[in-house]
Amino acid sequence: MSDERFIDSPPDGADGWREVWQADRRYRDRGGLRGALSAFVRKLVRPELDRQRDFNLVLLDLVRELRGELDTLRTGLKADIAAVQADVRRADEALAADLARIRELIPITAKRNDALIAALDQKIETVAVRVRDVTNPIVSATISTTTSTTSSDFLYRRLEDGMRGSEAEVHEAIRPYVDQARGHEPLLDVGCGRGELLEAARDAGIRARGFDTNERSVADLRARGLDAIVAGVPECFNGIVDGTIGSIAAMHVVEHLPVELLFAFFAQAARVLAPGGLLMIETPNAESLAVTGSTFWRDPTHLAPRHPAALTLLAREQGFSVEELRAVHPFPEGNRLPVSDDDSPSLRRVVDALNERLFGGQDVRLIFRR
């Protein structure tokens, strides 16, 4: 009998078993009585063995088909998962790019909003001042007897309200001057305008007096209980005894003065200030090109930007020492030239230098000590 009809050990897997059953292969018969008995039994049950073989073959075919379907399903599922992963990866990359663009746009939008809000505040303040003019009886009386001088006063007040910002913004800007004036009393506010510094000094318990050439503004200040007099430079110093004043403030005044009055202002300030007294000046920043080339000339009463170096020289000629000199009130960030993280360090340095020269502080603060 051929050895091909026999197996010595169980086959591996379903395909191996199918081959065994299809070829009707079996284990070798053992010799002796036990082997003979086994052969006899097989002959008796041969029909049943054939049916069992056919059943096993059908069952194995079904197992093979099921395994094929499972393999196909597994392959399709892997492809679907890979497609989903690719879609998720692309979506993540697109989302990351969108978030990066949004992060870049947020500060730009915020800066532009700051500039828009500042402009809106100025317009609201201008409207508020016009409403006050209509409802203020002092203003109404003045209007009824209008002269060319009072008409000019009203016009300049419009310019002041439209360009200096809201009174709340100015109150915040003058806080350093109020702090400086503590312990240096009385305070003279030359060119007191709308009176923000006088009002802040009163609230801080500091004795203060204001001078302005605008009769309309002075009348309004007196109506509010503030000490204000109609006088310009140098007449505002007349009658003041030498060395009796603690501090003098000139907020946006020197750019309105002709040169001879500017010289007189420093000379008179040096005369009336007590030893250790403070002369505090704020003026548009002549070192900012955006100021000298544009915003400075919005006020037609401005004569010329006053460079801090020239003001310092005039102060030292009158015996003052420099206590503080700095640019203040920066432009809104939306005005500045933008830089990004992708820019090279050398380009960023160039842009920073241009921003400093173009959009340095809008004003400069100078504090001199007698």
Side-chain angles (χ1 to χ4, degrees):
M1 185 177 295
S2 173
D3 289 340
E4 293 181 358
R5 298 190 57 190
F6 299 99
I7 59 174
D8 297 320
S9 60
D12 293 331
D15 290 339
W17 276 108
R18 192 181 192 290
E19 181 182 351
V20 167
W21 284 104
Q22 190 171 19
D24 195 21
R25 301 174 67 183
R26 60 182 184 274
Y27 293 107
R28 293 180 183 276
D29 293 334
R30 297 181 180 180
L33 180 61
R34 187 173 180 180
L37 181 59
S38 175
F40 176 73
V41 172
R42 278 200 304 275
K43 288 181 181 180
L44 290 177
V45 298
R46 185 67 189 184
E48 297 297 329
L49 290 176
D50 289 343
R51 284 194 293 272
Q52 181 66 47
R53 181 194 62 195
D54 294 342
F55 175 79
N56 290 345
L57 289 173
V58 171
L59 183 63
L60 289 173
D61 287 340
L62 290 174
V63 170
R64 174 186 291 176
E65 292 177 2
L66 180 61
R67 187 173 61 185
E69 292 178 358
L70 290 175
D71 289 341
T72 301
L73 181 62
R74 184 184 298 109
T75 301
L77 184 60
K78 287 182 178 178
D80 291 341
I81 291 174
V84 170
Q85 289 175 337
D87 290 342
V88 171
R89 184 167 54 253
R90 286 192 294 270
D92 286 343
E93 292 172 353
L95 180 60
D98 290 341
L99 289 175
R101 287 194 293 271
I102 290 172
R103 281 194 293 268
E104 293 175 356
L105 291 174
I106 286 175
I108 295 174
T109 302
K111 294 171 185 176
R112 290 177 178 173
N113 284 343
D114 289 343
L116 290 174
I117 289 172
L120 181 59
D121 283 344
Q122 290 186 357
K123 292 183 182 295
I124 291 173
E125 181 62 24
T126 300
V127 172
V129 170
R130 293 186 178 182
V131 171
R132 278 205 306 272
D133 288 347
V134 173
T135 58
N136 191 325
I138 295 178
V139 175
S140 298
T142 305
I143 293 175
S144 65
T145 57
T146 300
T147 64
S148 60
T149 301
T150 56
S151 297
S152 298
D153 288 349
F154 275 97
L155 181 57
Y156 182 74
R157 183 60 182 266
R158 293 286 181 268
L159 290 171
E160 185 178 35
D161 291 329
M163 291 182 294
R164 291 205 62 192
S166 69
E167 293 188 16
E169 291 174 322
V170 176
H171 273 294
E172 181 66 24
I174 64 176
R175 184 178 301 171
Y177 302 101
V178 176
D179 294 338
Q180 291 283 351
R182 286 192 176 93
H184 297 88
E185 300 180 45
L187 165 67
L188 298 186
D189 186 3
V190 178
C192 55
R194 298 183 302 192
E196 294 95 346
L197 181 56
L198 292 176
E199 194 169 40
R202 181 180 62 184
D203 294 342
I206 299 172
R207 290 182 293 118
R209 171 178 292 183
F211 303 94
D212 204 283
T213 58
N214 190 311
E215 295 180 7
R216 185 261 190 217
S217 294
V218 171
D220 185 44
L221 295 178
R222 288 177 175 174
R224 290 155 54 190
L226 297 170
D227 186 0
I229 298 173
V230 178
V233 175
E235 293 81 11
C236 60
F237 297 105
N238 291 346
I240 299 178
V241 179
D242 296 0
T244 58
I245 301 300
S247 55
I248 297 173
M251 313 289 290
H252 292 269
V253 171
V254 296
E255 64 271 19
H256 295 269
L257 299 178
V259 173
E260 62 275 10
L261 294 186
L262 183 63
F263 293 168
F265 169 74
F266 277 93
Q268 288 297 316
R271 179 183 68 81
V272 301
L273 278 171
L278 300 178
L279 174 58
M280 302 179 290
I281 296 174
E282 183 175 295
T283 186
N285 186 3
E287 294 187 302
S288 170
L289 295 180
V291 172
T292 57
S294 177
T295 58
F296 181 86
W297 303 107
R298 290 171 58 196
D299 186 341
T301 65
H302 284 174
L303 294 183
R306 300 305 182 190
H307 199 284
L311 298 175
T312 300
L313 176 62
L314 292 175
R316 284 178 170 158
E317 286 294 319
Q318 296 296 335
F320 288 96
S321 61
V322 179
E323 190 82 3
E324 181 181 346
L325 196 165
R326 71 169 65 184
V328 294
H329 312 146
F331 280 90
E333 283 295 321
N335 291 33
R336 298 172 68 87
L337 301 176
V339 293
S340 68
D341 295 337
D342 297 333
D343 293 335
S344 65
S346 59
L347 177 59
R348 291 174 67 89
R349 286 194 296 270
V350 170
V351 174
D352 289 342
L354 286 173
N355 278 328
E356 186 64 25
R357 179 56 61 188
L358 290 170
F359 304 110
Q362 298 179 71
D363 302 307
V364 63
R365 177 191 302 155
L366 305 99
I367 299 179
F368 303 112
R369 185 177 294 276
R370 183 73 173 99

